[in-house]
Amino acid sequence: MGDQTLKHTSALLSALNNKVQAIPPIWLMRQAGRYLPEYRALRAKAGSFLDLCNNPDLAAEATLQPIRRFDFDAAILFADILLLPFALGQNLSFAEGEGPHLDPPVAPTHLDVFRKRNIHERLQPVYETVARVRKELAPEKALIGFAGAPWTVATYMLTGGPHKDPAALRKHWYDEQEFVSALIDILVDTTVEYLSRQIESGADAVQLFDTWAGGLPEDVLRAVSIEPLARIGDRLKAAHPETPVIFFPKGAGAMAEDYARLSCCDGLSIDFSTPWSIARRTLSPHTTVQGGLDPMLVVKGGRDLETGARGLCETFRGVPFIFNLGHGLTPDTPPEHVARLVEIVRDAE
Ligand code: CP3
């Protein structure tokens, strides 16, 4: 295909294809968002966060804002992992300062309705956003599409709200394994469809966010996170062999290597509590590591930010690496610190 050359001019895609870059490509989770005044203006214009996600003009603009300001190597689609439950028919809202609400919480009787649902009806604006961004983005910049991992999405669907109690989530699994497994299976199928459409619309790589993978016993983690993600990755690879797949299993700890060893895993994003030296020794032999600076260091800035960012680059010198954070930028981050971070990473040579 014609975009083959395009793929090779992107530092991010080269890194995901196992090529060592002298200067690591950089993008940051939640690089679009409330810490940027231009985002806040766009958000005010759109009305709600959901209105912003569903308006391709404005969502494309939100995606491109951090690229214009900081010249990152990759853009990440502006959307949310909870658009998939919305597409399956749950009502979605974001209460100011509270987090997301899905209504009603999923019950076993909903599963058949989900299975029959055409998710693309409500997701059309997302595909349109991807197409617009890819058209406007410079060829050397990669566009990352994304979705939530089935377990993380299921936790919001099951609780209906901004949950904070990991024990309650584990209890859901132990009490209702059959139901939760059936929900995860539906999410595997629909996530493959959703990401395939993003790729067909112009996404150059895709990332799966498993924010709630942490703190699960090994057998549970395998059942709800590793195996479903492997199934998604394998099916995406069969349909789109050229498109790299990145996993972000937040909090997976000693189990991170099991994700890295999956044949469909082109990149593994490490969280801020993952020891860099251990990641370099155990993950880099299997995949391209991405991450994992503490986002609080970007809030702090100054010498601490410099030491952290340089240390991270140093740890991964000589192996394929993508500079990123160990979780998203927070709304209290000064934009100047982000600009400084990009400078530090590009000067680190
Ligand atoms: O990274 C990016 O810049 C791309 C856009 C993106 C958003 N959410 C925009 C967003 C991505 C990749 C996500 C993923 C996402 N959404 C995750 C996984 C990664 C993670 O952060 O752990 C999760 C768990 C969600 C669900 C979600 N969306 C929550 C819990 C919240 C509320 C917390 C908050 O920061 O307010 C959201 C809202 C959300 N998603 C915002 C943005 C920019 C803030 C909305 C606003 O403008 O008020």
Side-chain angles (χ1 to χ4, degrees):
M1 285 202 356
D3 59 5
Q4 210 52 5
T5 41
L6 181 150
K7 296 195 176 202
H8 286 289
T9 60
S10 152
L12 182 108
L13 295 169
S14 294
L16 288 167
N17 278 300
N18 259 327
K19 307 222 167 41
V20 180
Q21 314 288 300
I23 297 169
I26 175 171
W27 69 278
L28 305 178
M29 287 190 227
R30 284 280 172 97
Q31 62 192 21
R34 285 164 297 186
Y35 76 105
L36 287 178
E38 60 268 35
Y39 171 82
R40 294 196 297 272
L42 202 62
R43 169 88 151 66
K45 189 162 134 192
S48 73
F49 172 64
L50 199 56
D51 289 335
L52 178 50
C53 292
N54 283 326
N55 180 326
D57 267 338
L58 301 185
E61 178 58 22
T63 308
L64 292 165
Q65 282 177 342
I67 309 303
R68 291 198 196 104
R69 195 193 256 255
F70 303 113
D71 189 38
F72 289 123
D73 293 290
I76 179 159
L77 163 69
F78 188 83
D80 196 85
I81 64 164
L82 300 180
L83 293 180
L84 183 57
F86 173 66
L88 284 166
Q90 278 185 304
N91 293 312
L92 173 62
S93 59
F94 290 83
E96 211 59 59
E98 236 186 87
H101 286 276
L102 287 166
D103 178 60
V106 178
T109 49
H110 297 138
L111 296 187
D112 264 338
V113 182
F114 290 167
R115 287 189 187 101
K116 294 193 189 105
R117 188 93 186 182
N118 174 6
I119 56 161
H120 303 304
E121 273 170 28
R122 282 184 170 182
L123 294 171
Q124 208 56 50
V126 176
Y127 309 142
E128 182 61 37
T129 303
V130 172
R132 281 184 203 200
V133 173
R134 191 52 279 177
K135 216 168 85 200
E136 285 187 39
L137 203 57
E140 71 275 14
K141 308 284 185 199
L143 173 57
I144 302 168
F146 75 90
W151 169 247
T152 288
V153 175
T155 65
Y156 289 100
M157 293 179 83
L158 290 163
T159 61
H163 57 75
K164 293 205 162 65
D165 179 6
L169 298 176
R170 299 201 300 280
K171 195 149 183 307
H172 260 297
W173 173 252
Y174 294 127
D175 285 347
E176 309 170 278
Q177 243 178 79
E178 219 174 288
F179 163 45
V180 178
S181 290
L183 176 60
I184 286 176
D185 286 346
I186 290 169
L187 290 170
V188 167
D189 290 344
T190 49
T191 301
V192 170
E193 279 188 53
Y194 181 36
L195 290 177
S196 291
R197 285 285 185 102
Q198 291 185 30
I199 294 166
E200 286 151 18
S201 304
D204 303 302
V206 293
Q207 176 155 327
L208 284 134
F209 289 86
D210 216 348
T211 306
W212 290 89
L216 297 172
E218 178 178 351
D219 55 338
V220 181
L221 187 78
R222 286 192 195 286
V224 303
S225 178
I226 300 179
E227 284 170 12
L229 285 174
R231 279 191 277 152
I232 291 172
D234 287 345
R235 282 166 61 182
L236 286 174
K237 287 283 162 194
H240 305 281
E242 300 294 324
T243 306
V245 174
I246 307 167
F247 296 124
F248 175 51
K250 184 168 180 291
M255 294 298 290
E257 192 181 332
D258 284 61
Y259 295 83
R261 284 176 175 272
L262 295 173
S263 61
C264 59
C265 175
D266 300 294
L268 191 78
S269 214
I270 56 170
D271 65 68
F272 52 81
S273 70
T274 306
W276 301 342
S277 57
I278 294 179
R280 162 78 204 236
R281 196 171 70 236
T282 64
L283 307 178
S284 290
H286 307 295
T287 194
T288 299
V289 172
Q290 169 180 280
L293 194 74
D294 187 350
M296 288 307 116
L297 280 178
V298 197
V299 177
K300 175 82 197 320
R303 190 61 67 80
D304 294 322
L305 177 61
E306 268 172 39
T307 309
R310 292 213 171 99
L312 182 54
C313 290
E314 196 48 49
T315 302
F316 290 93
R317 191 174 298 283
V319 291
F321 176 63
I322 299 164
F323 197 100
N324 207 314
L325 305 178
H327 201 188
L329 282 166
T330 54
D332 55 342
T333 309
E336 316 80 76
H337 293 182
V338 176
R340 179 69 192 127
L341 173 60
V342 173
E343 219 172 69
I344 296 165
V345 171
R346 292 192 174 147
D347 276 357
E349 261 260 272

